[in-house]
Amino acid sequence: MNTKTILIVDDEPRTRQGLKKYLETWANGNYQIFTSSNGEEAIKLMKQHKVHILITDIRMPEITGLQMLRMAKEQCIFPVIIVISAYSEFEYAQEALRLGVINYLLKPISKKALIEAVEVAIKEVEKKERAGLIEKVVDTKLVNTNIQNLSNREPIREAIDYINKHLNNDLTQKEVADYVHLNPSYFSSLFKEHMKLTFSEYVTRRRIQRAKELLMTTNLPINDIAEESGYKTAKYFIKIFRELEGMTPSAYRKNNSERVF
């Protein structure tokens, strides 16, 4: 499991340790919680570790919380941000919102308010990760298939649904054509006309997309992923995967190690 990381940044030791204690009790070991006493230290830590949620004070010596957020943004570090402050000046809140802050808590912070803010932040992290996963596994050729007006071609829509539900089985064009009550030859030309891919190309690309999802979201061995994706042997699966993705399944998993569980 990929443990989520929370970073607390505050120059006041008492506040910093108090927030950490609250969160450690709530997290019960499910989250990794770091602390930093200043913005510079926090930036260094965020370069070394993937920080999912950043909780930071605004007013700190040397580098303010807002300056730190600008620096993080410039360096393409994008945690979900919660700002804490003893001040409620409007310009602070405005600037914080421009920098992508999702919550603004005023000191003294109650345990309830902190936990509620973190739970909202976790949902935002999960939303971002799902979006990132979709972006990584998407196959542009599948996206660009001509599925407009498929309501006028119900057999093709039914065929797509059938293929998607049976990716881990042996799938033949005749089997799917029979399922939608069409002659295999006519089904083949109709499918290519509307999908801009042959039947076999579509099935292969959907299987590899399924494999990419499994590689990123599970710890299943390559053999099992091959089977789940409809390939009888891992060797053949690896060959097809490399042809489409330019790398082996293992390399793909390693390159996309920020997995969603």
Side-chain angles (χ1 to χ4, degrees):
M1 182 168 176
N2 219 1
T3 306
K4 298 290 182 288
T5 300
I6 301 171
L7 173 60
I8 301 162
V9 189
D10 198 304
D11 61 306
E12 298 174 6
R14 196 171 170 184
T15 302
R16 193 167 66 243
Q17 293 308 316
L19 294 176
K20 186 181 182 186
K21 188 178 176 184
Y22 280 161
L23 289 179
E24 283 179 337
T25 302
W26 162 82
N28 196 29
N30 293 320
Y31 295 86
Q32 200 170 14
I33 300 164
F34 295 125
T35 63
S36 289
S37 60
N38 60 70
E40 191 176 344
E41 184 181 282
I43 291 288
K44 282 181 184 174
L45 197 147
M46 285 191 282
K47 285 180 178 177
Q48 293 167 357
H49 301 274
K50 168 73 173 177
V51 171
H52 299 87
I53 299 169
L54 172 64
I55 304 170
T56 183
D57 192 9
I58 278 189
R59 283 201 177 183
M60 293 185 292
E62 296 176 15
I63 298 174
T64 69
L66 293 180
Q67 285 172 328
M68 179 189 69
L69 296 183
R70 289 188 209 106
M71 288 167 66
K73 195 173 182 180
E74 286 166 7
Q75 295 180 50
C76 297
I77 299 169
F78 300 109
V80 174
I81 307 157
I82 299 169
V83 156
I84 55 178
S85 179
Y87 307 91
S88 58
E89 284 96 330
F90 183 61
E91 61 269 23
Y92 282 159
Q94 274 191 315
E95 178 68 7
L97 288 170
R98 279 197 292 269
L99 290 166
V101 171
I102 67 158
N103 224 318
Y104 192 103
L105 302 176
L106 287 177
K107 293 179 179 180
I109 303 162
S110 71
K111 184 177 180 180
K112 183 174 181 287
L114 176 67
I115 300 308
E116 284 176 356
V118 170
E119 286 176 345
V120 169
I122 287 166
K123 287 179 182 173
E124 186 63 23
V125 169
E126 290 170 350
K127 183 178 164 186
K128 285 170 71 174
E129 288 188 333
R130 279 195 297 273
L133 173 64
I134 290 165
E135 190 179 330
K136 285 174 181 175
V137 303
V138 74
D139 181 325
T140 52
K141 285 208 172 182
L142 290 180
V143 172
N144 294 332
T145 52
N146 182 15
I147 56 172
Q148 295 174 5
N149 303 319
L150 269 190
S151 55
N152 300 327
R153 288 294 182 183
E154 193 59 34
I156 300 301
R157 184 180 291 281
E158 288 177 7
I160 295 300
D161 288 342
Y162 184 85
I163 292 165
N164 292 342
K165 287 174 184 173
H166 297 84
L167 282 173
N168 60 337
N169 299 340
D170 284 336
L171 275 172
T172 65
Q173 188 167 276
K174 184 179 184 308
E175 173 192 346
V176 180
D178 288 346
Y179 177 77
V180 296
H181 311 294
L182 289 177
N183 172 280
S185 178
Y186 177 63
F187 170 73
S188 175
S189 60
L190 192 66
F191 190 95
K192 187 170 183 182
E193 178 189 343
H194 284 275
M195 301 306 292
K196 305 304 178 191
L197 291 170
T198 66
F199 173 82
S200 63
E201 284 172 336
Y202 179 82
V203 171
T204 297
R205 288 185 174 276
R206 278 295 291 116
R207 282 177 167 160
I208 296 304
Q209 186 175 51
R210 173 66 178 147
K212 289 196 289 185
E213 290 167 6
L214 292 171
L215 286 165
M216 289 182 63
T217 61
T218 75
N219 287 321
L220 285 172
I222 300 301
N223 281 356
D224 291 356
I225 288 176
E227 192 176 329
E228 284 291 319
S229 305
Y231 292 95
K232 288 182 178 177
T233 69
K235 186 178 178 182
Y236 185 62
F237 163 62
I238 292 166
K239 176 179 178 289
I240 298 298
F241 193 98
R242 194 201 293 266
E243 284 174 5
L244 280 183
E245 297 300 320
M247 65 182 78
T248 64
S250 296
Y252 183 88
R253 172 176 269 170
K254 187 177 178 182
N255 289 352
N256 296 280
S257 59
E258 188 60 34
R259 298 193 294 276
V260 183
F261 290 90

